[in-house]
Amino acid sequence: CQVIAASSGVQGLQMAREFRPDLITLDLMMPSMDGWQVVSAIKADPQLAHILVVVVSVVGNENRGHILGALDVLQKPVAREDLLAVLQRNLTGPKPRILIVDDDADAQRIIVAYLQGKGVEIRTAANGHEALARLDEAPADLILLDLMMPVMDGMAFLNAIRRDPRYQRLPVVVITAKELSAEENERLKSKKLRVLNKSDAFEGDLRRLLEDLLQNTAPRHGGKSK
């Protein structure tokens, strides 16, 4: 494992946003910002909510039933064997990375809420320009893409990534409220894309589509657990 350390809750959140670790071990009793506040902040942030959290504290056992959002609880002093068991149980290798590209905050929340707990890493972007920057930061295994966005819309983003050899085979699902024209449907069909409409059945359709896609999407990115 590659290990990084923080000495406070504020620093820990900053480093979590910067490095996106696979797992966080967290003390509860800290000055300024305690572990309870850190867990709440992590789980409230769509960029961090997927990160596994293990509470390591002298007060761990008596609060075990109340530590919401924590994956595991270890009592201080921590036995090396117990810590290793937690890591082996929960760090099982790379998770599929899903990039959600949508300027609709409500749609983002629905998708993120469904994906939480599915063993995937979630990132978001509000337009195609931001999405290209996210891809430069780290590769994705699947993109969920809105078409109607400011700055760079979905079609322009699709054209940009398909010109790049790295992303020509990257699976993309178009999620849109727009009534597509025959020409737009043909363009999307020619790019071998799936289309999901933001209708009353959106959540159910999304669940079925993602279950199918995630079963057939293996992580293609490398890297060490942090």
Side-chain angles (χ1 to χ4, degrees):
C1 294
Q2 179 183 342
V3 181
I4 55 177
S7 58
S8 70
V10 172
Q11 185 187 20
L13 286 173
Q14 291 172 342
M15 295 179 74
R17 294 186 177 105
E18 180 179 357
F19 295 103
R20 304 295 172 83
D22 297 301
L23 184 142
I24 294 173
T25 63
L26 176 67
D27 189 20
L28 291 180
M29 300 176 67
M30 297 182 292
S32 301
M33 185 178 199
D34 64 25
W36 307 100
Q37 295 169 305
V38 175
V39 171
S40 297
I42 289 171
K43 296 307 174 183
D45 187 335
Q47 302 287 343
L48 305 179
H50 66 281
I51 298 176
L52 308 176
V53 178
V54 176
V55 166
V56 181
S57 177
V58 292
V59 295
N61 279 344
E62 56 263 38
N63 291 283
R64 182 179 294 270
H66 304 285
I67 302 175
L68 300 178
L71 169 83
D72 249 317
V73 179
L74 290 173
Q75 181 80 10
K76 283 185 176 179
V78 178
R80 181 176 183 273
E81 293 76 13
D82 292 341
L83 178 59
L84 290 177
V86 167
L87 298 181
Q88 290 168 355
R89 185 162 60 245
N90 297 294
L91 293 179
T92 55
K95 303 175 185 65
R97 288 175 171 169
I98 297 180
L99 176 59
I100 303 166
V101 189
D102 199 326
D103 65 322
D104 183 340
D106 289 335
Q108 277 196 15
R109 280 193 291 270
I110 290 172
I111 299 170
V112 169
Y114 174 73
L115 290 174
Q116 284 178 355
K118 300 294 184 182
V120 298
E121 179 180 331
I122 307 165
R123 291 179 297 155
T124 61
N127 56 63
H129 183 71
E130 286 186 14
L132 290 175
R134 298 286 184 273
L135 289 175
D136 283 340
E137 294 167 2
D141 297 296
L142 173 68
I143 293 179
L144 303 179
L145 176 67
D146 187 28
L147 290 181
M148 300 175 66
M149 297 179 293
V151 185
M152 177 186 276
D153 65 21
M155 286 295 191
F157 170 74
L158 273 173
N159 291 333
I161 64 172
R162 291 314 189 213
R163 287 194 298 266
D164 190 323
R166 296 175 296 172
Y167 308 131
Q168 287 176 353
R169 296 181 179 275
L170 177 57
V172 177
V173 177
V174 170
I175 300 179
T176 182
K178 182 181 180 183
E179 190 70 29
L180 299 177
S181 67
E183 179 184 355
E184 288 171 328
N185 270 313
E186 280 302 312
R187 288 175 64 188
L188 295 175
K189 185 177 179 181
S190 69
K191 297 177 187 294
K192 298 181 180 179
L193 302 175
R194 299 197 189 200
V195 179
L196 192 64
N197 289 315
K198 293 178 181 176
S199 62
D200 292 339
F202 174 65
E203 291 188 58
D205 291 342
L206 174 66
R207 175 177 52 79
R208 287 186 289 273
L209 179 61
L210 291 180
E211 284 175 352
D212 177 47
L213 286 168
L214 291 176
Q215 286 175 358
N216 296 287
T217 301
R220 289 180 293 279
H221 55 275
K224 298 178 181 179
S225 295
K226 295 181 262 302

